[in-house]
Each structure stands twice: as structure tokens, then as C-alpha cells.
Amino acid sequence: MSKVALHPPKIKICGLTQVENAIEVASAGVDAIGLVFYQPSPRFVDISIASEIVRNLPPFVDSVALFVNATKDEIQRVIDTVRPGTLQFHGDEGADFCASFGLPYLKSLGVTQEIDLIEYGLTYSSACGLLLDAPATDVRGGSGRTFDWQLIPDNISKPIVLAGGLDVANVGSAMQAVKPWAVDVSSGVESNQKGYKDIGLVGQFVKEVKDADARRVSNL
């Protein structure tokens, strides 16, 4: 499989922390929302709030639970309580560990010149996709930093979820360069408060994705 997507890219908004805000975001034309279960993150969400968010999602909007080197028991507790549709691993978790929960999972990777993305895709062959992000800082994800999209080869064996510093201004260019299966944004649709998404920015982001895809289709 090449990295070229033949459908409109899916849109994931990550780092929701409040029930009402999450429901607004989920109703704004997105395909998935992300819930961060990593306590050092400013977008960490309590398990009880996450459970209420998932219970109130509209039809066909997926919920993605994000972990960083969590224990098996911690992850299983989130699965049993929140019932996410997909798991997302941002740490050093091995493929067997990620696959052991019986749910679809994404494996995140900070992209650098030194990493062989082809080999990485083969190593995590059980993943439903690879989430490609900027290299990690002290707190994983939501850094607002981009990376060099030209480092992504055309023949990765897994669908690509593109993250890392995406926003209204650059998502169109990112889609043209990478042609990902999905795009993932967190800080790029926040105005002031981390974990609270600006619905106006979410709407603009969704529009930019759709407009960029319309341009792609018109050039086929």
C-alpha cells in the first residue's frame, strides 16, 4: 500500500477533556476524538469524564484512547470503563503488547532521518495504522511542532495518520505532500486553554481538509 489515500482523509481531534466541548467537536464533522490517559500531559482526562464523553458521542464517531508506557492493568481499566473503539500507543510499547488487548490500535512514531519507516511498519504489522508525529519532547504529543513531511516514503505498508503541528494554515499543504489516510490535530484547534477546543477553529480545520481533498479530486 502506498501512502496515497483515495478517499477524503479522516479527521481526528485529540486531547478532549470536557464533556460538552467533546460533544460539540464530535458533531462538527470529525471522524474521531482522542482521549489522553497520560497524566503528565496537560490534556490528561479523568476516566469518569472520558467515559461520559464516549457514552454521548454521535453515531459513527470513533473514540481513541491514548497511552504512553501504561501498564496492562491501567489500559485494561480504561477499556473496561470507557470502552474506546481504538487504542493509540505513544511510548515504547512492543507490537505484541499493543495487539494483546484485542482492539484496533495505532502506533505513534516521532519521525526523524534516522528512523526506517518501512521497517517500522513491518514491525507493527498488527497495527491498523501508523501515526506519524514530530519527535517527542518531555510531554508526548500536542507539541504544536511539525516535522519534515518529505521523510515519509511512498511505500509504507500501513495507512498513515499524519500529526505534528497541523492547523488551519498548513493542513492543506500537509495533505498535498503526504496524502495521508487521516489527519490528527490537538493544539492547532485550541485558542487559549489546553484541552479545550475552539469550535470555530475545528470548523475551519474540517473545511480546509475538505477543500484540499476537493482540489486533489479535481486534479485526478
Side-chain angles (χ1 to χ4, degrees):
M1 177 187 296
S2 75
K3 65 183 179 179
V4 176
L6 300 179
H7 67 93
K10 304 298 183 183
I11 301 171
K12 173 173 170 277
I13 309 293
C14 197
L16 283 304
T17 60
Q18 299 178 33
V19 176
E20 184 176 342
N21 186 230
I23 294 169
E24 287 182 318
V25 168
S27 302
V30 308
D31 301 285
I33 58 115
L35 301 165
V36 178
F37 297 97
Y38 177 54
Q39 287 200 349
S41 171
R43 299 173 182 88
F44 171 77
V45 62
D46 181 80
I47 193 169
S48 62
I49 294 175
S51 181
E52 187 174 354
I53 288 172
V54 172
R55 285 198 308 270
N56 285 281
L57 289 179
F60 309 119
V61 175
D62 192 20
S63 54
V64 183
L66 186 156
F67 303 97
V68 181
N69 296 328
T71 67
K72 196 173 185 74
D73 286 346
E74 289 169 338
I75 296 169
Q76 192 61 55
R77 179 170 175 252
V78 169
I79 292 171
D80 293 342
T81 305
V82 179
R83 301 195 177 280
T86 304
L87 307 180
Q88 182 174 320
F89 295 100
H90 270 254
D92 306 310
E93 305 90 352
D96 289 343
F97 180 87
C98 295
S100 68
F101 299 96
L103 287 175
Y105 77 89
L106 296 166
K107 185 63 180 75
S108 175
L109 175 66
V111 177
T112 66
Q113 288 184 327
E114 291 74 29
I115 293 175
D116 185 338
L117 291 176
I118 303 296
E119 182 63 28
Y120 201 85
L122 295 174
T123 299
Y124 287 91
S125 60
S126 56
C128 64
L130 298 181
L131 188 145
L132 303 185
D133 203 346
T137 56
D138 292 339
V139 178
R140 309 288 182 103
S143 68
R145 296 181 298 113
T146 59
F147 64 93
D148 184 358
W149 301 322
Q150 298 305 315
L151 294 175
I152 304 174
D154 288 334
N155 55 341
I156 295 178
S157 60
K158 288 291 172 182
I160 292 170
V161 179
L162 183 64
L166 297 182
D167 57 24
V168 171
N170 67 13
V171 68
S173 299
M175 288 170 54
Q176 182 177 5
V178 179
K179 300 178 178 62
W181 179 267
V183 290
D184 187 334
V185 61
S186 182
S187 62
V189 290
E190 295 172 349
S191 52
N192 297 309
Q193 180 182 347
K194 292 182 178 180
Y196 186 86
K197 311 306 178 186
D198 184 312
I199 298 303
L201 288 177
V202 172
Q204 291 177 49
F205 188 86
V206 171
K207 182 179 185 301
E208 287 296 324
V209 171
K210 292 182 177 180
D211 288 350
D213 187 64
R215 291 193 294 272
R216 175 191 66 84
V217 172
S218 68
N219 290 328
L220 292 178

Coordinates of all heavy atoms in Angstrom, one line a residue, residues 30-89:
V30 N -16.2 15.7 12.4 CA -14.9 14.9 12.5 C -15.3 13.4 12.6 O -16.4 13.0 12.8 CB -14.1 15.3 13.8 CG1 -13.9 16.8 13.8 CG2 -14.8 14.9 15.1
D31 N -14.2 12.6 12.4 CA -14.4 11.1 12.4 C -14.0 10.5 13.7 O -14.5 9.3 14.0 CB -13.6 10.5 11.3 CG -14.0 11.1 9.9 OD1 -15.1 10.7 9.4 OD2 -13.3 12.0 9.4
A32 N -13.2 11.1 14.5 CA -12.7 10.5 15.7 C -12.3 11.6 16.7 O -11.9 12.7 16.3 CB -11.6 9.5 15.5
I33 N -12.4 11.3 18.0 CA -11.9 12.1 19.0 C -10.9 11.3 19.9 O -11.0 10.1 20.0 CB -13.0 12.7 19.9 CG1 -13.8 11.6 20.6 CG2 -13.9 13.6 19.1 CD1 -13.7 11.6 22.1
G34 N -9.8 12.0 20.3 CA -8.8 11.3 21.1 C -8.9 11.7 22.6 O -9.1 12.9 22.9
L35 N -8.6 10.7 23.4 CA -8.7 10.9 24.9 C -7.3 10.5 25.5 O -6.9 9.4 25.2 CB -9.8 10.1 25.5 CG -11.2 10.4 25.0 CD1 -12.2 9.3 25.4 CD2 -11.7 11.8 25.5
V36 N -6.7 11.4 26.2 CA -5.3 11.2 26.6 C -5.3 10.7 28.1 O -5.7 11.3 29.0 CB -4.5 12.5 26.5 CG1 -3.1 12.3 27.1 CG2 -4.5 13.0 25.1
F37 N -4.8 9.4 28.2 CA -4.6 8.8 29.6 C -3.2 8.8 29.9 O -2.6 7.7 30.2 CB -5.3 7.4 29.6 CG -6.7 7.5 29.3 CD1 -7.2 7.3 28.0 CD2 -7.7 7.8 30.3 CE1 -8.6 7.3 27.7 CE2 -9.0 7.8 30.0 CZ -9.5 7.6 28.7
Y38 N -2.5 9.9 29.9 CA -1.1 10.1 30.3 C -1.0 11.3 31.2 O -1.1 12.4 30.8 CB -0.3 10.3 29.0 CG 1.1 10.5 29.2 CD1 1.9 9.7 29.9 CD2 1.8 11.7 28.6 CE1 3.3 9.9 30.1 CE2 3.1 11.9 28.7 CZ 3.9 11.0 29.5 OH 5.2 11.3 29.6
Q39 N -0.8 11.0 32.5 CA -1.0 12.1 33.5 C -0.1 13.3 33.3 O -0.5 14.4 33.6 CB -0.9 11.5 34.9 CG -2.1 10.7 35.3 CD -2.1 10.5 36.8 OE1 -1.2 10.8 37.5 NE2 -3.3 9.9 37.2
P40 N 1.1 13.2 32.8 CA 2.0 14.4 32.7 C 1.4 15.3 31.6 O 1.8 16.5 31.5 CB 3.3 13.8 32.2 CG 3.4 12.5 32.8 CD 2.0 11.9 32.7
S41 N 0.5 14.9 30.7 CA 0.0 15.7 29.7 C -1.0 16.8 30.2 O -1.8 16.4 31.0 CB -0.7 14.9 28.6 OG -1.4 15.7 27.7
P42 N -0.9 18.0 29.7 CA -1.9 19.0 30.1 C -3.3 18.6 29.6 O -4.3 19.3 30.0 CB -1.4 20.3 29.5 CG -0.5 19.9 28.4 CD 0.1 18.6 28.8
R43 N -3.4 17.7 28.7 CA -4.7 17.2 28.2 C -5.1 15.9 28.7 O -6.0 15.2 28.1 CB -4.6 17.2 26.6 CG -4.2 18.5 26.0 CD -4.0 18.5 24.5 NE -3.6 19.8 24.0 CZ -2.4 20.3 24.0 NH1 -1.4 19.5 24.4 NH2 -2.1 21.5 23.5
F44 N -4.6 15.5 29.8 CA -5.0 14.3 30.5 C -6.4 14.4 30.9 O -6.9 15.5 31.4 CB -4.1 14.1 31.8 CG -4.6 13.0 32.7 CD1 -4.4 11.6 32.3 CD2 -5.3 13.3 33.8 CE1 -4.9 10.6 33.2 CE2 -5.8 12.3 34.7 CZ -5.6 10.9 34.3
V45 N -7.2 13.3 30.7 CA -8.6 13.3 31.0 C -8.9 12.3 32.1 O -8.4 11.1 32.0 CB -9.5 13.1 29.8 CG1 -9.2 11.8 29.1 CG2 -11.0 13.3 30.1
D46 N -9.7 12.6 33.1 CA -10.1 11.7 34.1 C -11.0 10.6 33.4 O -11.8 10.8 32.5 CB -10.9 12.4 35.2 CG -11.4 11.5 36.3 OD1 -10.5 11.1 37.1 OD2 -12.5 11.0 36.3
I47 N -10.8 9.4 34.0 CA -11.5 8.2 33.3 C -13.0 8.3 33.4 O -13.7 7.9 32.5 CB -11.0 6.9 34.0 CG1 -11.5 5.7 33.2 CG2 -11.5 6.8 35.4 CD1 -10.8 4.4 33.6
S48 N -13.6 9.0 34.5 CA -15.0 9.1 34.6 C -15.5 10.1 33.5 O -16.6 9.9 33.0 CB -15.4 9.6 36.0 OG -14.8 10.8 36.3
I49 N -14.8 11.2 33.3 CA -15.2 12.2 32.3 C -15.1 11.5 30.9 O -16.0 11.7 30.1 CB -14.3 13.4 32.4 CG1 -14.6 14.2 33.7 CG2 -14.5 14.4 31.2 CD1 -13.6 15.4 33.9
A50 N -14.0 10.8 30.7 CA -13.8 10.1 29.4 C -15.0 9.2 29.1 O -15.5 9.1 28.0 CB -12.5 9.4 29.4
S51 N -15.4 8.4 30.1 CA -16.5 7.5 30.0 C -17.8 8.2 29.6 O -18.5 7.8 28.7 CB -16.7 6.7 31.3 OG -17.8 5.8 31.1
E52 N -18.0 9.4 30.2 CA -19.2 10.2 29.8 C -19.1 10.7 28.4 O -20.1 10.7 27.7 CB -19.4 11.3 30.8 CG -20.7 12.0 30.7 CD -21.0 13.0 31.7 OE1 -20.2 13.1 32.7 OE2 -22.0 13.8 31.6
I53 N -17.9 11.1 28.0 CA -17.7 11.6 26.7 C -18.1 10.5 25.7 O -18.9 10.8 24.7 CB -16.3 12.1 26.5 CG1 -16.0 13.4 27.2 CG2 -16.0 12.3 24.9 CD1 -14.6 13.8 27.2
V54 N -17.6 9.3 25.9 CA -17.8 8.3 24.9 C -19.3 7.9 24.9 O -19.8 7.6 23.8 CB -16.9 7.1 25.2 CG1 -17.3 5.8 24.4 CG2 -15.4 7.4 25.0
R55 N -19.9 7.9 26.0 CA -21.3 7.5 26.0 C -22.2 8.5 25.3 O -23.3 8.1 24.8 CB -21.9 7.5 27.5 CG -21.4 6.2 28.3 CD -22.3 6.0 29.5 NE -22.4 7.2 30.3 CZ -21.6 7.5 31.3 NH1 -20.6 6.7 31.6 NH2 -21.8 8.6 32.0
N56 N -21.7 9.7 25.1 CA -22.5 10.7 24.4 C -22.1 11.1 23.0 O -22.6 12.0 22.4 CB -22.5 12.0 25.3 CG -23.4 11.9 26.5 OD1 -24.6 12.1 26.5 ND2 -22.7 11.6 27.7
L57 N -21.2 10.3 22.5 CA -20.8 10.5 21.1 C -21.9 10.2 20.1 O -22.6 9.3 20.3 CB -19.5 9.7 20.8 CG -18.2 10.1 21.4 CD1 -17.1 9.1 21.0 CD2 -17.8 11.5 21.1
P58 N -22.0 11.0 19.0 CA -23.0 10.7 18.0 C -22.5 9.4 17.2 O -21.4 9.0 17.3 CB -22.9 11.9 17.1 CG -21.6 12.5 17.3 CD -21.2 12.2 18.8
P59 N -23.4 8.9 16.4 CA -23.1 7.6 15.7 C -21.9 7.9 14.7 O -21.7 8.9 14.2 CB -24.4 7.3 14.9 CG -25.5 8.0 15.6 CD -24.8 9.3 16.2
F60 N -21.1 6.8 14.6 CA -20.0 6.7 13.6 C -18.8 7.7 13.9 O -18.0 7.9 13.1 CB -20.5 7.0 12.2 CG -21.7 6.1 11.9 CD1 -22.9 6.6 11.5 CD2 -21.6 4.7 11.9 CE1 -24.0 5.8 11.2 CE2 -22.7 3.9 11.6 CZ -23.9 4.5 11.3
V61 N -18.8 8.2 15.2 CA -17.6 8.9 15.6 C -16.8 8.0 16.5 O -17.3 7.6 17.6 CB -18.0 10.3 16.3 CG1 -16.7 11.0 16.8 CG2 -18.7 11.2 15.3
D62 N -15.6 7.7 16.2 CA -14.8 6.8 16.9 C -14.1 7.5 18.1 O -13.9 8.7 18.1 CB -13.7 6.2 16.0 CG -13.0 5.0 16.7 OD1 -13.5 4.4 17.6 OD2 -11.8 4.7 16.3
S63 N -13.9 6.7 19.2 CA -13.1 7.2 20.3 C -11.8 6.5 20.4 O -11.7 5.3 20.3 CB -13.9 7.0 21.6 OG -14.3 5.6 21.7
V64 N -10.7 7.3 20.6 CA -9.4 6.7 20.6 C -8.7 7.0 21.9 O -8.7 8.2 22.3 CB -8.5 7.3 19.5 CG1 -7.1 6.7 19.4 CG2 -9.2 7.2 18.1
A65 N -8.3 6.0 22.6 CA -7.6 6.1 23.9 C -6.1 6.1 23.8 O -5.6 5.2 23.2 CB -8.1 5.0 24.9
L66 N -5.5 7.2 24.2 CA -4.0 7.4 24.0 C -3.3 7.0 25.3 O -3.6 7.5 26.4 CB -3.8 8.8 23.6 CG -2.4 9.2 23.2 CD1 -2.4 10.4 22.3 CD2 -1.5 9.5 24.4
F67 N -2.2 6.2 25.2 CA -1.4 5.8 26.3 C 0.1 6.0 26.0 O 0.5 6.0 24.8 CB -1.6 4.3 26.6 CG -3.1 4.0 26.9 CD1 -3.8 3.4 25.9 CD2 -3.6 4.2 28.2 CE1 -5.2 3.1 26.1 CE2 -4.9 3.8 28.4 CZ -5.7 3.3 27.4
V68 N 0.9 6.2 27.1 CA 2.3 6.3 27.0 C 2.9 5.4 28.0 O 2.9 5.7 29.2 CB 2.8 7.8 27.1 CG1 4.4 7.8 27.0 CG2 2.2 8.7 26.2
N69 N 3.4 4.2 27.6 CA 4.0 3.3 28.5 C 3.2 3.0 29.7 O 3.7 2.8 30.8 CB 5.4 3.8 28.9 CG 6.4 3.9 27.8 OD1 6.3 3.1 26.8 ND2 7.3 4.9 27.8
A70 N 1.9 2.9 29.6 CA 1.0 2.5 30.7 C 1.1 1.0 30.9 O 1.5 0.2 30.0 CB -0.4 2.9 30.3
T71 N 0.7 0.6 32.1 CA 0.7 -0.9 32.4 C -0.5 -1.5 31.8 O -1.5 -0.9 31.4 CB 0.7 -1.1 33.9 OG1 -0.6 -0.7 34.4 CG2 1.8 -0.3 34.6
K72 N -0.4 -2.8 31.7 CA -1.5 -3.6 31.1 C -2.8 -3.4 31.9 O -3.9 -3.3 31.3 CB -1.1 -5.1 31.0 CG -2.0 -5.9 30.1 CD -1.5 -7.3 30.0 CE -2.3 -8.1 29.0 NZ -2.1 -7.7 27.6
D73 N -2.6 -3.4 33.2 CA -3.8 -3.2 34.1 C -4.4 -1.8 33.9 O -5.7 -1.7 33.9 CB -3.4 -3.4 35.6 CG -3.2 -4.8 35.9 OD1 -3.6 -5.7 35.1 OD2 -2.6 -5.1 37.0
E74 N -3.6 -0.8 33.8 CA -4.1 0.6 33.5 C -4.9 0.7 32.2 O -6.0 1.3 32.2 CB -3.0 1.6 33.5 CG -2.3 1.8 34.9 CD -1.0 2.6 34.8 OE1 -0.4 2.6 33.8 OE2 -0.6 3.2 35.9
I75 N -4.4 0.1 31.2 CA -5.0 0.1 29.9 C -6.3 -0.7 30.0 O -7.4 -0.2 29.4 CB -4.1 -0.4 28.8 CG1 -2.9 0.5 28.7 CG2 -4.8 -0.6 27.5 CD1 -1.8 -0.1 27.8
Q76 N -6.3 -1.8 30.6 CA -7.5 -2.7 30.7 C -8.6 -2.0 31.4 O -9.8 -2.1 31.1 CB -7.2 -4.0 31.3 CG -8.3 -5.1 31.1 CD -8.6 -5.4 29.7 OE1 -7.7 -5.7 28.9 NE2 -9.8 -5.2 29.3
R77 N -8.2 -1.2 32.5 CA -9.2 -0.5 33.2 C -9.9 0.6 32.4 O -11.1 0.7 32.4 CB -8.6 0.2 34.4 CG -9.6 1.0 35.3 CD -9.0 1.5 36.6 NE -9.9 2.3 37.3 CZ -9.7 3.6 37.5 NH1 -8.7 4.3 36.9 NH2 -10.6 4.4 38.1
V78 N -9.1 1.3 31.5 CA -9.7 2.2 30.6 C -10.6 1.5 29.6 O -11.8 2.0 29.3 CB -8.6 3.0 29.9 CG1 -9.2 3.9 28.7 CG2 -7.9 3.9 30.8
I79 N -10.2 0.4 29.1 CA -11.0 -0.3 28.1 C -12.3 -0.8 28.7 O -13.4 -0.6 28.1 CB -10.3 -1.6 27.6 CG1 -9.1 -1.1 26.7 CG2 -11.2 -2.5 26.8 CD1 -8.1 -2.2 26.3
D80 N -12.3 -1.3 29.9 CA -13.5 -1.8 30.6 C -14.4 -0.7 31.0 O -15.7 -0.9 31.0 CB -13.1 -2.6 31.9 CG -12.4 -3.9 31.5 OD1 -12.5 -4.3 30.4 OD2 -11.7 -4.4 32.4
T81 N -13.9 0.5 31.4 CA -14.7 1.6 31.9 C -15.2 2.5 30.7 O -16.4 2.9 30.7 CB -13.9 2.4 32.9 OG1 -13.5 1.5 33.9 CG2 -14.8 3.5 33.5
V82 N -14.3 2.9 29.9 CA -14.5 3.9 28.8 C -15.1 3.3 27.6 O -15.9 3.8 26.9 CB -13.3 4.7 28.5 CG1 -13.5 5.8 27.5 CG2 -12.8 5.4 29.8
R83 N -14.6 2.1 27.3 CA -14.9 1.3 26.0 C -14.6 2.1 24.8 O -15.5 2.4 23.9 CB -16.4 0.9 26.1 CG -16.8 0.1 27.3 CD -18.1 -0.6 27.1 NE -18.4 -1.5 28.2 CZ -17.9 -2.7 28.4 NH1 -17.1 -3.2 27.5 NH2 -18.2 -3.5 29.5
P84 N -13.3 2.5 24.6 CA -12.9 3.2 23.4 C -13.0 2.2 22.2 O -12.9 1.0 22.3 CB -11.5 3.6 23.7 CG -11.0 2.5 24.6 CD -12.2 2.2 25.5
G85 N -13.1 2.8 21.0 CA -13.1 1.9 19.8 C -11.7 1.6 19.3 O -11.5 0.5 18.7
T86 N -10.7 2.4 19.6 CA -9.3 2.3 19.1 C -8.3 2.7 20.2 O -8.6 3.6 21.0 CB -9.1 3.1 17.9 OG1 -10.1 2.8 16.9 CG2 -7.7 2.9 17.3
L87 N -7.2 2.0 20.3 CA -6.1 2.4 21.2 C -5.0 3.1 20.4 O -4.8 2.8 19.2 CB -5.6 1.1 21.9 CG -6.6 0.2 22.6 CD1 -5.9 -1.0 23.2 CD2 -7.4 1.0 23.6
Q88 N -4.3 3.9 21.1 CA -3.2 4.6 20.5 C -2.0 4.6 21.4 O -2.1 5.1 22.6 CB -3.6 6.1 20.1 CG -2.5 6.9 19.4 CD -3.1 8.2 19.0 OE1 -4.2 8.3 18.5 NE2 -2.3 9.3 19.1
F89 N -0.8 4.1 21.0 CA 0.3 4.0 21.8 C 1.4 4.9 21.4 O 1.9 4.9 20.3 CB 0.8 2.5 21.8 CG -0.2 1.6 22.4 CD1 -1.0 0.8 21.5 CD2 -0.3 1.4 23.7 CE1 -1.9 -0.1 22.0 CE2 -1.3 0.5 24.3 CZ -2.1 -0.2 23.4

